[in-house]
Amino acid sequence: MTLVELDGRYVHRRHEAETDVVVVGSGPAGATVARHLAARGISVIVVEEGHEAKVSEVSGVRAMAALYRDMGTSLAFGNVSMPYLQGRVVGGTSVINGAISWRFPRAVLDQWTSDDPALGDALPYDLLAETEARIEERLHVRPTEPSVAGPKNLLLARGAEALGVAHRPIRRNERGCVGEGRCLHGCPHGHKLSMDRSFLPDAVADGARILAGMRVDRVLVEHGRARGVAGVSAAGGPFAIRARHAVVLAASAIQTPCLLRRSGLDHGPVGDGLTAHPGVSVTGRFPEPVRNWRGATQGHEVIGYRDEGLKLEALGFDLSILASRIPGVGRELARRLAEIDRYAVWGAAVRAAGRGRVRPGPTRPIVTYSLTAADVEKTRRGVRVLGETMLAAGAVEVYPGVPGFAPIVRDRADMARFEREGSLTASDYAMSMTHLFGTARMGSERASSVVRPDFRHHVAEGLYVADSSVFPSNLGVNPQIAIMTLADMCASNVARA
Amino acid sequence: MTEWHYEVIEPHGVPMPRGFDRGLLIDYSRGPNAPGPIRISKDPLVALSPDNADQLLGVTYLVVGGRCLETPTYFTLEREHPIDYVPYEDPAPSFDALRLTAIERRWAEQLFSAILATGELDTTAFWRCMEEAPAPLVRAGLRPMVHTLTFLPVVSGFGRPFFALSPEARERFLAAASGDRRYFVRQALVTLKTLACFAYYDDPIVRARAES
């Protein structure tokens, strides 16, 4: 069954429609808003730039091309250039994430409330927790079963256990996972309850309409009020969707501020204050087969370093990406690839203090972001603890992959030296950036925020922002449940208005 | 319903019926219409009242052999509402301009083969996928990276470009590049290695063998 009412690949002429609420983006935030409003009988149109993916048909480079924005090569420029990964598909980034589901950290909310007490009133913790519980129930969030974890996740548990560091199976939104290790390329069996398998079908069943392959270029603002959105279909046909009641932006912390700025809504720090969780990874070789591409893609995590702003996870990559992380070139690489089943890659997500900026560019958003000196130190510690955990789990070789340090490490004492001797130059680390926040932050002060604590835009009436752009800071944990929770609260406000 | 394509033009140098020497002209001969009378049809338009372009009067005539044949088909056009949206024009240069030339692609494939020590790869399907995918940064960055790794050996002790090196020298050069202190050189190798791995495992036989 298709979810999509209109596919922009076939929209050559002008298309117009009218609805109560138009939602831009079909990822966790947009799908949550659409589901909430449709369930209340409010007419909703969801406009998505990406297409509906047939994920069972693609793998490797084809999956990257079909599901990821710019094939996963969007770059943030700064003291280390990092790719940032976003889905461009019906269901958004939930289609290509590892299904990791964390509750909103209480300490983060307390910090937000301490910085701006109005946020505490708008986001009461009890309501937040109750909303999270409902979302988790619908998405069947549960700890990864050992039977589908696969060796890479069990080895991470073994390493953390040997070091005496807290760890646990990752809680994921899935039903019937068979551990095929394909989360990052879209679950071929539909077992991951990404938005295209959960909230969007719910919304459609309640009357919501989804337009795919339709890129929104601007919000239509008339006499200070958002009246709809306009853009271009994948086939080049212009379109305009009029909204009688509200426009909700849920296009991500990169696209939403660009859309606001392109619409002339550039008041306040729109596009500023980008925060993230940069990630660094380490590859290791084990004496036994790991088959890193099998088992739950991300099924186990080490949480004992969270107070330091680090969280370790096993990373289940496609063969092609795993191969690119194995050291060496030429015959050395060929020898290693002949036993590719022995290699594993684990990653550390860094709760970084760095801040960046997003601006619309001529063809793509221009994203700048730099790590602070403290972030680089934290990254260096992340490499050390990843390597130590691998060695404690039984790895025979670990490859830090940082210039100026031993390319192969075989014992834990050498790995510990990395924290003293490893580079403190950001660009020496191969990093990527996930979990982006803060580019249309919420707050009570109009000068220092873009939306009010109830998600309404400070300037344009009838305009709401529901995605992670509104988060005043990063979370230190995987944010999809937190995004859905706040989006649900945003939808309540839209419905009440 | 019948649909025709047309352009609206100012009627300079076009045969016009007597009395129509101003206004605009709907010219169906300029649209990709199927052969038929519509291909020789034109509709001059005039405003019904001065300074009001919202109500227009038109008439259809045919141009045969350079002569105008008037028809009794008169019509009025009335503006429904002002134009409320002009599509955002993407000023992006065509990504095709960033595509590697045949010789550059050959250099890239030589780098792929040396990185993986696999011999020749059949990369036809891989390149097709790359060319269809909207990844402008990769396309923009790939050319300088291929050039860097192809010609860097000339000035880094090998004395020749990459394609002129022996297999052993190619491997020595790539090993040195992977530890180069210069960020761009390391990134060039990382990028080419990643693409080489994508191309390698794009082959279903290679993938099946590795996964088995």
Side-chain angles (χ1 to χ4, degrees), chain A residues 13 62 70 318 326 330 363, chain B residues 3 88 92 115 134 193 202 207:
Chain A
R13 297 197 187 88
R62 272 154 234 291
D70 290 343
D318 179 71
I326 292 175
T363 67
Chain B
E3 293 178 348
Y88 168 68
I115 288 168
K193 182 175 174 179
D202 195 45
R207 177 171 285 272

Side-chain angles (χ1 to χ4, degrees), chain A residues 10 28 62 122 129 148 162 170 193 209 304 315 355 358 404 448 454 477:
Chain A
Y10 309 108
R62 272 154 234 291
V148 300
I170 288 177
L193 295 180
R209 299 152 67 192
L315 302 174
R355 297 241 164 195
V358 180
S448 60
D454 62 0
V477 298

Side-chain angles (χ1 to χ4, degrees), chain A residues 101-113 123 125 128-129 132 136 168 277 306 311 351 437 471 473-483 485-486:
Chain A
S101 298
W102 270 77
R103 289 202 164 192
F104 201 110
R106 178 73 191 251
V108 173
L109 185 67
D110 290 345
Q111 184 62 53
W112 291 5
T113 303
L123 309 172
Y125 186 77
L128 206 132
E132 277 180 322
E136 287 189 344
R168 65 177 196 180
H277 298 146
R306 275 197 61 224
K311 189 164 79 72
R351 189 175 185 206
F437 312 90
F471 286 37
S473 74
N474 55 12
L475 301 182
V477 298
N478 309 67
Q480 67 166 344
I481 296 294
I483 290 170
T485 302
L486 262 60

